Amino acid sequence: MLPCFPLTFQTNCNRYMGYKTHSLQDMRQQAAIAAKVFLQRDYTNGTVCQFQTKFPSELETRIDKQQFEETVRTLNNLYAEAEKLGSQSYIEGCLACLTAYTIFLCMETHYEKVLKKIAKYIQEQNDKIYAPRGLLLTDPIERGLRVVSCALVFAVARIFRLLRSVTYK
Amino acid sequence: MSAVMITRKVRKWEKLPGKNTFCCDGRVMMARQKGVFYLTLFLIIGTCSLFFAFECPYLAVHLSPAIPVFAVLLFLFVMAMLLRTSFSDPGVLPRALPEEATFIEMEIEAANGNVPAGQRPPPRIRNVQINNQIVKLKYCYTCKIFRPPRASHCSICDNCVDRFDHHCPWVGNCVGKRNYRYFYLFTLSLSLLTIYIFTFDIVHVVMRKYQTHRCIVWPASPETGFTVLEVLVCFFTLWSVVGLTGFHTYLISLNQTTNEDIKGSWSGKNRVQNPYSHKNIIKNCCEVLCGPTYPSVLDRRGLMQDISPVSATSATLSSSSSVNPVPQTTKTTAPLIPNEHTPDDAKPNIAASVQASPSPKEEHPSASKLPPLASPETDVETSIAKDKTH
């Protein structure tokens, strides 16, 4: 259960400096401030890699709940497919054992193939759905399959433009 | 004295925390203490060499050529499994990056509420329900994460390892989720090899003496001295390795780890049953031995930027003597806070107005800049908790 707490800019902040010059208030660069939300793992079915589908409240203003849950559900299904204990994994395991696991030097494991699929899916989702809304999903493999992190990107230039329009009225 | 920043690309394994040693540019990962591992190698290779040199020629001629052939195959399998266990990532969980660690700390703070001054905050435990059993997830103060179920922190390697079994000095590595099946196959094949060599040593001695003297006489020749040595090594190895294989077969059939067995997590004193077991021996064995091969989540060979300061005066001195070629290519506009959003080009430094103090690099999980939520009481608790869990 994620407790609701107000997003503050001091905590969970990452900043990067851009090169664009801005004539507004002597700002020579445009900063994008990212706050991050972390989706934790769901262990109700054991140690299989599944993520919680609970919709974080910080994303309420950014994205549709259904859309987000659909993304997480698809991710969960892909991970379940990777870790499935079926005839394919048994055959792969036995064959690898007979060759003293040297077969993995030339062959990709089923899990690695699915991980590539997952990476492609996340990139696709970012390009089509999340980036236009100012969100960025990070592939959980980069965080040790512990969390799915979703970065909320704020463009400061936009905020300053809004402030300027309010001041000059 | 002004400091000049040098950025260079390094492999991530060079900056990983923990007490592992890496070889072959990050492809090989082992614990620091490798002495016992070298002993294991010496014993196996030494004994097998003696067997191939002294017993096999005789047995191949007088009994069957299949004997040394099978011995060679078995020996190669044992070595492959040993090296695979020793050199692979056991399932190390990467430490939390600063923002994730801060997020978790804030969640804990929110969950604990207001702790009265002077009182110790409650221990950091998260309860999850797995297959209708309540399992407690402990917080790791070193890695700054709530450990997934079945994970444990190895104090020798200073890493949290997923499905931690034990740290084996004989293989010079931890045994965890990713290399457990190789470890089991190593012990199993080593048992078979030991029994095989032991049996054929005895057969060899008996055959030789019966052929020459038509009765069993105690050997007096030097070749048989080596045979005696092999028999001794095999005899002592047999008891330990076969016992270990039997123990791990028992654990696999119940889908338990050595760590859980030692701690008595599912021993039934609290009527808590193992939630990970399929309640079927065959299914448990299939899952552990023939399950999917998990990939390493620790990126060892990825590239990252390493920013190291070099003092300007030393740089100018050395540039004049042209011993140190680095200062000529120094970038003076290295980003102060690089993270995954930082483009590769160098960015102008804003320093004072933006950031009061330099924050830790995103790729380097030093996590030394976390908000000081731990009070002196929790530091004591941390050390006690660490001792208990390690």
Side-chain angles (χ1 to χ4, degrees):
Chain A
M1 279 271 290
L2 284 176
C4 295
F5 54 89
L7 265 177
T8 54
F9 286 98
Q10 280 78 33
T11 56
N12 298 342
C13 274
N14 274 336
R15 296 167 216 182
Y16 81 86
M17 311 303 157
Y19 248 141
K20 288 186 187 161
T21 55
H22 211 288
S23 57
L24 186 67
Q25 293 178 13
D26 288 334
M27 288 226 355
R28 300 227 171 245
Q29 66 290 319
Q30 177 180 317
I33 300 170
K36 282 192 174 176
V37 173
F38 295 95
L39 277 177
Q40 304 289 337
R41 282 271 295 268
D42 177 18
Y43 294 115
T44 46
N45 291 328
T47 49
V48 196
C49 184
Q50 300 278 282
F51 292 97
Q52 289 177 0
T53 47
K54 187 180 173 296
F55 186 61
S57 51
E58 292 85 0
L59 303 178
E60 260 163 26
T61 52
R62 297 281 191 129
I63 191 165
D64 184 31
K65 181 177 169 183
Q66 298 295 335
Q67 180 67 62
F68 185 78
E69 284 180 0
E70 178 61 38
T71 308
V72 182
R73 224 172 282 133
T74 314
L75 273 180
N76 283 342
N77 288 339
L78 284 168
Y79 280 114
E81 185 199 322
E83 297 192 18
K84 198 169 71 151
L85 296 170
S87 52
Q88 194 190 359
S89 70
Y90 294 151
I91 291 170
E92 192 184 55
C94 290
L95 185 70
C97 179
L98 288 172
T99 59
Y101 296 94
T102 50
I103 201 170
F104 290 143
L105 293 168
C106 36
M107 193 183 92
E108 220 178 32
T109 66
H110 173 65
Y111 208 114
E112 282 166 359
K113 288 190 194 135
V114 180
L115 282 179
K116 284 200 174 151
K117 235 201 276 185
I118 289 170
K120 222 168 78 172
Y121 174 74
I122 288 178
Q123 191 176 4
E124 194 187 278
Q125 291 282 294
N126 272 335
D127 290 338
K128 280 198 244 171
I129 298 164
Y130 290 87
R133 291 172 170 82
L135 295 170
L136 190 72
L137 286 179
T138 312
D139 196 338
I141 195 83
E142 292 172 28
R143 300 286 178 263
L145 289 180
R146 277 195 322 269
V147 286
V148 176
S149 80
C150 184
L152 292 89
V153 182
F154 300 96
V156 172
R158 246 183 267 157
I159 294 170
F160 274 98
R161 244 177 269 141
L162 180 67
L163 281 174
R164 189 171 59 166
S165 66
V166 167
T167 325
Y168 287 166
K169 269 183 185 155
Chain B
M1 186 183 298
S2 58
V4 151
M5 301 297 224
I6 298 170
T7 54
R8 58 189 183 107
K9 281 218 150 94
V10 292
R11 296 265 185 203
K12 285 186 181 173
W13 65 264
E14 295 180 54
K15 297 289 168 192
L16 278 177
K19 297 183 196 157
N20 291 100
T21 47
F22 296 90
C23 307
C24 300
D25 202 19
R27 290 182 181 90
V28 165
M29 181 172 171
M30 288 182 76
R32 258 188 211 166
Q33 300 95 341
K34 296 186 273 294
V36 190
F37 168 67
Y38 293 138
L39 177 66
T40 311
L41 274 178
F42 172 74
L43 283 173
I44 296 174
I45 295 174
T47 313
C48 290
S49 314
L50 291 176
F51 182 71
F52 293 135
F54 296 106
E55 273 79 27
C56 283
Y58 183 88
L59 289 168
V61 168
H62 289 90
L63 218 55
S64 164
I67 293 169
V69 168
F70 188 71
V72 167
L73 291 174
L74 200 49
F75 167 71
L76 289 173
F77 189 78
V78 167
M79 288 308 296
M81 290 300 105
L82 172 63
L83 296 178
R84 190 115 194 169
T85 311
S86 304
F87 294 166
S88 57
D89 172 11
V92 172
L93 295 168
R95 297 190 185 184
L97 294 172
E99 63 249 347
E100 193 191 332
T102 321
F103 185 84
I104 295 175
E105 293 264 1
M106 287 178 69
E107 270 193 325
I108 295 169
E109 274 276 287
N112 284 345
N114 286 324
V115 180
Q119 254 193 34
R120 203 176 279 185
R124 296 180 174 188
I125 288 180
R126 211 177 248 179
N127 287 324
V128 291
Q129 197 179 45
I130 300 176
N131 291 330
N132 301 320
Q133 299 276 354
I134 300 288
V135 174
K136 292 188 192 307
L137 301 186
K138 290 198 186 137
Y139 182 76
C140 182
Y141 286 91
T142 315
C143 304
K144 309 246 183 294
I145 55 169
F146 274 99
R147 281 185 217 126
R150 313 193 94 176
S152 190
H153 190 97
C154 174
S155 49
I156 302 171
C157 301
D158 203 23
N159 289 317
C160 267
V161 179
D162 205 355
R163 202 188 185 278
F164 180 72
D165 196 85
H166 66 286
H167 181 98
C168 186
W170 297 95
V171 301
N173 204 359
C174 285
V175 178
K177 182 164 87 166
R178 290 192 74 241
N179 63 353
Y180 184 65
R181 75 188 65 180
Y182 310 132
F183 174 76
Y184 177 72
L185 289 172
F186 165 64
T187 55
L188 183 65
S189 54
L190 186 61
S191 311
L192 291 172
L193 183 66
T194 314
I195 294 170
Y196 192 87
I197 292 180
F198 186 77
T199 314
F200 282 105
D201 275 350
I202 306 287
V203 165
H204 171 250
V205 170
V206 167
M207 277 183 71
R208 224 187 240 278
K209 292 306 134 193
Y210 195 75
Q211 277 190 346
T212 41
H213 299 279
R214 309 294 295 177
C215 64
I216 309 294
V217 174
W218 183 250
S221 57
E223 300 107 21
T224 355
F226 285 121
T227 312
V228 169
L229 179 67
E230 286 168 50
V231 166
L232 275 174
V233 170
C234 289
F235 183 75
F236 289 112
T237 313
L238 254 180
W239 292 112
S240 45
V241 177
V242 171
L244 192 66
T245 311
F247 175 62
H248 278 282
T249 312
Y250 161 76
L251 287 180
I252 287 174
S253 63
L254 293 177
N255 203 334
Q256 270 190 32
T257 63
T258 310
N259 198 36
E260 286 163 358
D261 190 70
I262 288 174
K263 285 186 181 167
S265 314
W266 322 120
S267 65
K269 57 176 159 66
N270 296 325
R271 303 291 169 93
V272 182
Q273 289 193 326
N274 187 356
Y276 314 108
S277 170
H278 297 276
K279 311 277 187 267
N280 179 343
I281 292 179
I282 307 227
K283 253 196 152 176
N284 284 338
C285 292
C286 285
E287 186 196 319
V288 177
L289 298 175
C290 302
T293 35
Y294 299 96
S296 175
V297 295
L298 198 69
D299 189 9
R300 285 167 277 159
R301 291 182 43 78
L303 292 165
M304 59 180 271
Q305 300 274 42
D306 178 37
I307 301 167
S308 51
V310 170
S311 73
T313 47
S314 67
T316 46
L317 274 171
S318 51
S319 66
S320 59
S321 63
S322 70
V323 169
N324 189 352
V326 172
Q328 304 303 324
T329 56
T330 302
K331 290 183 190 174
T332 53
T333 55
L336 193 58
I337 312 146
N339 58 26
E340 72 236 56
H341 305 293
T342 308
D344 283 337
D345 310 310
K347 300 290 177 281
N349 244 329
I350 317 297
S353 58
V354 170
Q355 195 84 8
S357 60
S359 61
K361 295 186 279 292
E362 172 114 312
E363 301 91 344
H364 187 22
S366 54
S368 53
K369 306 285 183 211
L370 281 179
L373 290 169
S375 58
E377 292 90 44
T378 50
D379 283 340
V380 170
E381 185 195 43
T382 312
S383 55
I384 296 171
K386 257 190 186 173
D387 285 327
K388 274 192 187 151
T389 52
H390 300 169

